[in-house]
Each structure stands twice: as structure tokens, then as C-alpha cells.
Amino acid sequence: SALYVLPPGFVESSCRSRIFWMKLNKLLLQGKFFQLEINDPYAGPILLDEKLASRCGYVLSEDVWGNPVFRASVLGCHVVNEADELFSLTVNIKVSSFSSMRAAVTYTYPMYCSYSSWASREIVCEENYMEVSVKTDVPAVSNDYTVAWMSALPETQNVAYQLWQLMFVSPSGRKRITVSDAAKLGYSFNNTLSRVYLRAPYHSNESDISMVSGVNMNMVTSTSMYRQRWLLLLIDTTVSCPVDGISFTDRTLTWTVPSVIPTLVVQESTFLSKNILMGIDDRVIVNLEEKNYLLEHNETHIRITIPIGAEGGKLKSSISGGVYGIIYSIDLFLEHTWTDADWQTTKYTVIKSITTPFMPQIPTVINNTLPEERLFNVAFGHFLPDVSLVAITIGNVPFTLREAQHHGFKIYETPFSNRTKGFILEVSFDDPYVLKEYVNRNETKYTLLLNYTVSVGLEMTLYYHSAEVECVIADIELPEAVGYCDEENLYLAIPTFGLHQYWNLYLGNKLLNRQVALTNGYLAATNSTHLILQIPLFAVGVIYEEVSFQKIKSRFDVALRKVRTMETLQMFSVSCSFNSSAFIICHPDGTIMISAEMKTVPAIDISKTKLRDSSCKPREYNEGHAFFKFHVTTCGTSVRFEGDHIIYENEISYEKETLPGQSISAITRDPDYRLTVLCYYRAKETLVLGAFASDPSTSPPFGSGTMVPRSNIAVHRRIRQALNVVSRVSKDESFTEFYKPNMAILKQPAEPVFLEVELKDESPDAELYLENCWVTRSLDFNSTPRWNITVDG
């Protein structure tokens, strides 16, 4: 590979607390692969790998923004050291478009660090290694003292002459090994002009885990030993670093490090904390309050609290189990300087990359709809900047953003607080994809069914979120009907807007359609705005409020009901008074009112007219008219069945006056006058007491009446035979033996009669109600005399 000049902005570097920091710009590495080589001044380039990194004091990772970061200790391998004050390290950055790194471009980057303010002991807790360095300034010791020291420490007797060795103390016992053997175990030991350092991996066989003030510490207890002629040098190279101490809430993350670590401070009573610094990446943070960071410390703990989302870290969107959430990452370091009687000054540095667990953040749909503008305005958020809206489904119809805009939907981003954003959607109430439902009396419920599709993070993971937005507004005007009358009809003019879409017209509990209107004898006409109903005075459905001699006050009601729920919204009524000389009205309660016109030649005395029961006389009369009012159960009224109707029948007749004479034949001047009156009620509708119920829409209907001259009565009587009813008389209560038809049956007055009546009708809707049963002398059931067996059931 060839050497090239670095592109501008590709590399940034610094020296902080005796650590080289180098950062590569990820934007210039997009779609490429890279490797780092450590350029040794004597051995040449050495490829950086994980094993080499932890042993030699290197770290290769990424910052929270995804930029590759390389850190190296100034005491690391292949670092040029000038008098423990000036340090340099050269790195080769190899970049290729291929994973095999062929045709790589190599950039050589030298770094320099000046550091002279060494403490007596310095400890660095990095991500992948622990490092302790100690000053080797040792006062001269006399030979006598040396002999006594060696006899007190028998392990030192075996130290090779002029050779460093390491002694590890762990729960499994003591272990003494040479420096070269320690390197094979992943350790790195060396000495410089004035210092000795030991670099150890985490969780080695020689390490131990202990809890200090609630924080787990990884500890390597070691002594470095060196003997040269009469000098025996023993150096405590124990190192201890935290491996946890991180806690989270919904709003903050907290990093806790022990203030006093017993294995590093033997004489705890002499411990004195001198200075505590915290930083992010390679920068010390001075004004913590400005960034809402909190640094607390006491005799046992140093605690750093960072708000989730605080400056210096990065929030990242993520999807877990189909749920949207966020992850917050921040790279912190802590530098604690203390003094004690054994070590004078110790500088303790911990570098920690912290990432929160996945925190679900269910997006919200905010309804900012503007009813007065008939416009849905829906905000969908809150999202981080790494989320984008890619599609939306409205009313089960999917749209890309371009298709949605082309259709007329307005979609745009809007910023929210805390550096989040949302997506605004505007849809007209009148859009065909908006569901519309008529509710309450005069309101419409508009419903917008949504399903958002967003792309999350650099991975562009798709996330789906459905929502339903409603708005109810009073935008429907209930119709108002106008009623009027002429001499023979009632009229209702009803607006046609909304008919059959929102509501229907009902006559009682029956839908008033064209077929019903035609059957009932109504005339229905429509124009561009109204339905006009013409209802004859004596048509079905007319209610007679007041009836008197030759005068009728009648009313016609139509109910306005919802199409879906059948709820009655209001009643349309027209009421008028009519003058009528001849009519018959059959009330729901069984009252019959008749105004009969009686014009005969010669004229008769109207006051002498009567019903079948001669005691039933006209209530009012004049020269040519009579007014009768009676109940179906009085005045000799008879009842019969005809199809699905019950027919009540009576007769208006005139009592003739005869001249006195000796012959059997009677002589009279009066004409023969008979008028049969009939009231028809539907068989399944029961007569009720009282002419009107509290709710007119549920009032039972009036019967229909007719007056028939005498010549037509026979026709009506013959109709009765169409009903297929068979009756038999049983010999006893067992109803197993019956008398033969037309057989004479003799019974005593108090003796019971066992009668069976059967309706032979194949229709499943046919029902039999036995109300009145009587005996006559002939087959004519209206003949007299007659004897009642049952009356009114």
C-alpha cells in the first residue's frame, strides 16, 4: 500500500492525562474498511488486535456518534519515551474499499504528548486493561538492613540476580513468575527511567473481585521485586478498578466509584482527597451546573449523575420487540487525586463508556383538530432526529409520502422540546377516506384511521403505529315539517335532506315508505326540497282527538327516527278540525262513534232510531242526521273474525209506527230503514282503555269503519265461512269421545258442556283466541235467540 496525505478533518487527536486520544471521522469512512497499525521505530508496523491492545495499553472503540476512537497510554508498547516527559506514538491508518484490505490507502499519523507532573502512583482503569505506575526513587539501604529484610521476606530469597520478578497474591495463593512469563498471561511489566508499571487485563486468573462500598472492584494484588548485588527492591504494584457501579432511572444515569479503596490505601486514617475532576471524551467539564451534571462525593462514594439526553452524550432510537424506544450513551472519565502516608500522592483515573438499557418511548398521537375549519390536525411524536416518516395508511389505504401529498393530504415535520420532533398530518373532514357517522341528534362523528410507518436509526428498522382520531361536531340541521289541511285531507311537508341517509319516517312502529303510503291511501309527492304527504281524513293512521255531532278534530303523526338506532328524534304532527255529515270512527279503546245521514222518503223521526239494543238511542240528532256513541261490548254489538281482522257489527234501525187496525197485517207510513255499521280491528292488536297513550308513536291504531245498507249484509256474512274453524262437543272432560255432528244433545241447565274449538290453518302465524261462544237455533250465528257459553274469553 502507498502512503497518502490525510484528508482534511479525517483525524483529530489530543493528549489528556497521559493518554493519547485519536478520533477518525466516520463520514470519511462510509462504505469503507479500515485497520490500525502501530508503527514501532525499530520493528516497523504492527497490526493492532484485541490481544495486543489490552496488553500494550491500547483501546480501539467508537464514541457515541459512531466515530472510531483510539486511545493509548504513554507507557504503552512502541511509545517513544524521552526522559518520562516527552512521548510520541505513530499510527498507520489503512483504508480500503474491500474487507480483505487489498488496494488499501495508508495514512501515517504521528501523535505527541508532554507529561511531566507524575504522581508517586498513577492508576488508569481503561475499558480493557488496568495500569499502575510507581516512582522508583528508593533511598539507599545498608547491607545490615538488607540482610534483616530478606530474612523477614523469605519469598524474596529466590529472586533471580539482576532480574525483575512478579509475585501475585490471590485467593488461590501466592504465585511468583518472571516478567516474560507474565507477558504470556496477558500482563505487561516494564520500567522506565524513573518508574515501574504493570498493566493487567480484567478478570485474569490472578485477579479477585471484592465489593467496596457497594461497587464490585476487580483487583490484582502484586509486588514487583528486583535485586542487584546488595540492593533488593520491592514495589507494591497492586491495582484495583471498578467493574460496575452504574444505575439508571427513567430520567438519569448514575455512576458511582468508591472514594477510598482499601487495597490501595493501607492506612485509611491518613487518606485525604485532594481533587476530583470529571470529563466527557477527552475534555474536563468545569461548569457542571450549566450542563445539569451533578458531581457528589463523601467519605465513601464519588457519584456522577447525568440526565438522560444531556449534552455530551447521544440519544439513539431503537426498536425492541416491535416497540419504539431510545438508548442513551455517554463516554465519561473520572480523575481522583488523593494523598496518604504510604504513597504521598495517587492519581486515580477511570474511563467509562456508559449506555443505558433500552427505554420504551411509546409515541403519542396528539389531536389538534380544528372543528371550525373541518380539518383534522394530528401530531405524531416525539421522535429523535434519526427517525423519518416513510409511509402512512389512511382509512386502510396505504400511501407513500409523495402519493399522500398528491392526494391532498398535508404532511410536514415540526420540532418539539428536548430536541425531538414530530410529524403533522392534516386531512379534511370531507375527504372520502374519512369515516362519517351520524350520532346524537344533530351531530356527525368523523373518524380518521391511521397507520404510520417510520424508519428508525441507521439500521432503518421499520416501526408501525396505528391510531384512531375522532371529532364530533354539530353540523346537521334537523328537519322541521309544516302541516296544513283542506276540506277532506291533512298535509305534511317534510324536508328531504337526510331522509334515508340519517333518518327515516315511521307511522307508529312501521316504516313509512311508498308501499305503506299507497296501502293506507296516502298520496306522496316530492320536489327538490320536500316530501309532501296528503292524508285523507278517514285514512289509516289518522288520530281523532275530538269527535262530536258533524265535527271532527283529527291529527296525523309521523315519527322521525334514526336509521341505525331507531331512536325517535321528534314527531311531525298536523292537527285540524273538519265538518263532516257522515262518518264512523272506531277508537282504539273500542268506542264507536257514528254520524249517520238519514234521508228517507217519507222522512223518519230521527229521535226514534236505535241500535240493536233498543235502549241505545242517538246522543245528538237533527232532521237528517243522528250521532251515536257506544262501546263494542254494549248495545247488542256482535263480533266475528274475517281473515286477520276482528269485526264488530251493529245496526241502526228505525222503530216503525203502525196504525191501529183489526187485521193481522200492520199498516205503517214509515219507510223500512236499516244501516249496518262495521268496525275492523287487526286481530293481533288488543283494544285498550283510554283513547290515547302518553307517546303518540306507540299509540294503538284506530280501527277502520264502514256503514253498509241492508242489501249488502248478506255478502259480509258469507265471508265469515272462509275461516277454517271446527268445533266439537266432548262427552266428558277427557276429550276422547265426541258427539257426532248435527246430533241433538240434551243437557240440564247446570250441567257442564265440554267444547273443543280447533283452528285448521296451516299458516305458522295463525293464532286462535276464543273470546265469545254462543248457541243459536239455526246455522245463522246472528239469529236470535242465542245463549252465551263464554263472553270475553
Side-chain angles (χ1 to χ4, degrees), residues 658-674:
T658 58
L659 296 176
Q662 301 300 320
S663 64
I664 299 176
S665 301
I667 301 172
T668 179
R669 295 175 180 173
D670 295 331
D672 188 7
Y673 179 86
R674 288 186 179 224

Side-chain angles (χ1 to χ4, degrees), residues 436-454:
K436 304 166 185 68
E437 180 185 359
Y438 169 54
V439 295
N440 304 324
R441 285 183 60 83
N442 61 337
E443 296 175 326
T444 304
K445 180 170 75 175
Y446 297 92
T447 303
L448 188 62
L449 300 178
L450 300 172
N451 198 323
Y452 295 90
T453 303
V454 297

Side-chain angles (χ1 to χ4, degrees), residues 48-59 128-130 186-188 199-202:
L48 177 63
D49 58 24
E50 289 185 9
K51 192 172 183 180
L52 176 70
S54 62
R55 186 172 62 82
C56 285
Y58 306 141
V59 173
N128 59 343
Y129 67 85
M130 304 180 291
Y187 295 91
S188 180
R199 194 174 301 113
Y202 285 92

Side-chain angles (χ1 to χ4, degrees), residues 516-582:
V516 171
L518 184 63
T519 302
N520 290 354
Y522 310 154
L523 290 179
T526 56
N527 56 27
S528 60
T529 59
H530 285 76
L531 165 68
I532 301 171
L533 282 175
Q534 175 186 309
I535 307 101
L537 173 59
F538 297 109
V540 175
V542 176
I543 299 168
Y544 305 99
E545 298 178 300
E546 295 180 17
V547 180
S548 61
F549 189 36
Q550 296 182 320
K551 186 175 182 180
I552 303 173
K553 183 180 179 183
S554 61
R555 189 181 81 239
F556 183 74
D557 296 332
V558 173
L560 186 73
R561 292 186 178 182
K562 287 185 180 179
V563 170
R564 292 185 60 188
T565 65
M566 298 282 290
E567 176 190 351
T568 299
L569 298 177
Q570 61 190 48
M571 298 294 297
F572 297 143
S573 295
V574 55
S575 179
C576 295
S577 295
F578 295 85
N579 295 318
S580 180
S581 59

Side-chain angles (χ1 to χ4, degrees), residues 1 8 13 29 45 58 133-134 140 155 193 202 299 354 393 433 511 529 603 616 618 687 741 753 755 757:
S1 61
S13 64
L29 289 172
Y58 306 141
S133 71
V134 180
E155 284 287 345
L193 182 65
Y202 285 92
E299 294 179 355
I354 302 174
T393 297
Y433 295 110
L511 178 66
T529 59
C616 295
L687 299 183
V753 176
L755 182 66
V757 180

